[in-house]
Amino acid sequence: MAVGLAQAMAKRAPVAVFAAVGRDSDALFAQLLLVPEVELVTSPRQASILLVVGNIPRTFVEQLETVHDQLPHPRGTVWWHATPLFSFRDQALEAVATTAQQAALGQLLREIQARLLSGTRESEPDLKSDVPPAPWPGKGDHGQGGEGMMGGMPYGRPMAMMGPDLRDGLQLDEWSFSVGPFYHALPPGLVAHVTLQGDVIQQWKIHSKPYPRSLRSVFMEALVAPVAIAELEAARAHDHLLLLARMLQLEELESLGYRALALAAQLISPSTYEEAIKSGAVLFRLLRVNGFLFLGGGIGRISARQAMDFGGFVARALGASEDFRNGNDAYRKLGFAPVCQQAGDLQARRIQLVAEIEQSLMLMRKARQSGSLFTADRIETLYGPLTADQMPLDKSDLLESLLAGHEWGDAVAVIGSLPIVAVVEQKESAA
Amino acid sequence: MDLVVLLVTPLFTSLLALAILLLSGRRNPGSSWPQRQPFLGGGSPDTHAWNRFHVRYYPMALLLIAFEMEMMFMYPWAAVYVAEGIKAMAEMGMFLGILSTGILYAWREGVFKWQ
């Protein structure tokens, strides 16, 4: 009876889902965050269902299998706009590829969860074989003997060896690992090889760059023909808000993160711009009252040259007040004035980001009333300057020099504040 | 009588625990090797995570002096301060304030970070 009651309650609870994010999936992921039946978790150990969002490149099949095997039983997999990379003999393959199914994604996940819990659907077996990852056979007849702890290979893996501490020259143990394409705090697709001493990063090497993103078409259109400033500024605010939501979620300010996401969703179509302006006012008031803009001082300071590479709000957070909207008459009539900070660290970038979102919403409100148009050969985007012949490039190599010496939590916050992914042309994809 | 209770209680508790274990009938198969891999977003570790942390003798000794001497003075104070009243409270407050400045300095120097 108690088990039946617990199961009934579990069926009504939101489904704990671990999202393995692939290519061309930003819009999908932003939608996923707002589905009410889904509780996105950051570790597969807390999830019942592995949701694969967007196509995963073949090079990462093994990593995906590793993550799949780390989910506790009962577990299932759902492929959302993704080519299935593995399937099981006894379980139906769940693939969602059309818009109609997309709207019912939450229901589908809940159904699968219910079937898993009641035993109607079998839990998926392991994909990798059940052997120790690095077996250690002893030398003797009964498996005894062999090399010892220090300098040896217990369970086939070397013990942590020492290296000099960055701060005060002591010799401390190092631990090196590769953090893979499905880590929640890094941009999807980024694979890095990290050496830690305790919490402090000694070395950060990029093995695989993050998946590139595409910008909304209004930015490309503004290069060739006049577009409505309201639409352009709404698209800018949308991109900046997604980054802000990411940062808020990394700092565990979940409800503020959801507010930012909801606001970004309202900026997609012009019919909801009015509500967006109202929700924006609430969000900014909450951000000021909250301590979010007081955190991060002195962390992740970038140099002037690195800031020039980034462009956009990152450069303006260091004091470079170049903004391509500055000389334009249409913008000047709307009351545009560039904002910038001085410090160039994590806190300055956050303050600058919030200030720019506020500014974009203000410009959008005024431009809707006046109907102004804008075109130029250089457009300001989140990822830096956009020109007809140069799209913003990938900047993840900068992380190698920037993150050494930072603690893990600080480093993750710094990565969250820098738009390091490359931008490519949007491919025509099915809805 | 107490000694009998001391013998009976653990005996009873262990028998009860054994009964619950043996009569439950549900066995957890445990995690498989792939399930036990540490979660690194799909990545893998190069070495064991059995890291040693430095004892950092010098800062630990300084912290010991700061907190321990404070404690030493608070023991006789605790015995008499109710009788002495507000004056004793104020004096101990000043003493703690001076020592807290030292602890605040140590905190900002990163002594409490376990690296």
Side-chain angles (χ1 to χ4, degrees), chain B residues 65-87:
Chain B
I65 292 169
F67 283 104
E68 190 84 4
M69 294 304 112
E70 190 178 311
M71 241 172 64
M72 288 299 108
F73 279 104
M74 286 178 86
Y75 274 121
W77 169 80
V80 302
Y81 95 102
V82 175
E84 294 293 320
I86 199 78
K87 183 158 128 348

Side-chain angles (χ1 to χ4, degrees), chain A residues 341-372:
Chain A
Q341 314 296 322
Q342 293 305 316
D345 56 10
L346 177 62
Q347 183 185 19
R349 287 198 284 278
R350 285 177 174 172
I351 296 174
Q352 180 68 22
L353 186 66
V354 173
E356 289 209 2
I357 296 172
E358 265 191 285
Q359 185 187 59
S360 285
L361 287 179
M362 181 271 288
L363 289 167
M364 182 190 88
R365 183 171 50 84
K366 290 198 182 149
R368 278 193 90 194
Q369 289 156 3
S370 66
S372 325

Side-chain angles (χ1 to χ4, degrees), chain A residues 44-45 63 69-72 126 130-132 154 157-160 167-168 170 173 175-176 178-182 193 407, chain B residues 26 31-54 56 113-115:
Chain A
R45 310 253 192 246
Q63 281 91 330
D69 287 347
Q70 286 168 341
L71 271 86
D126 283 342
D130 192 7
V131 294
R157 281 214 194 98
M159 288 295 290
R167 296 181 186 184
D168 54 11
L170 288 175
D173 281 356
W175 184 52
S176 51
S178 69
V179 57
F182 306 116
H193 193 259
E407 291 183 15
Chain B
R26 179 189 281 267
S31 324
S32 55
W33 282 101
Q35 217 166 13
R36 275 181 251 175
Q37 289 275 69
F39 170 63
L40 294 166
S44 57
D46 294 346
T47 62
H48 282 288
W50 292 335
N51 284 356
R52 297 166 299 179
F53 291 91
H54 200 280
R56 296 191 187 268
K113 289 189 186 213
W114 194 244
Q115 247 97 256

Side-chain angles (χ1 to χ4, degrees), chain B residues 69-70 73-74 90-100:
Chain B
M69 294 304 112
E70 190 178 311
F73 279 104
M74 286 178 86
E91 282 174 6
M92 182 47 71
M94 287 193 300
F95 178 64
L96 286 180
I98 292 168
L99 283 175
S100 309

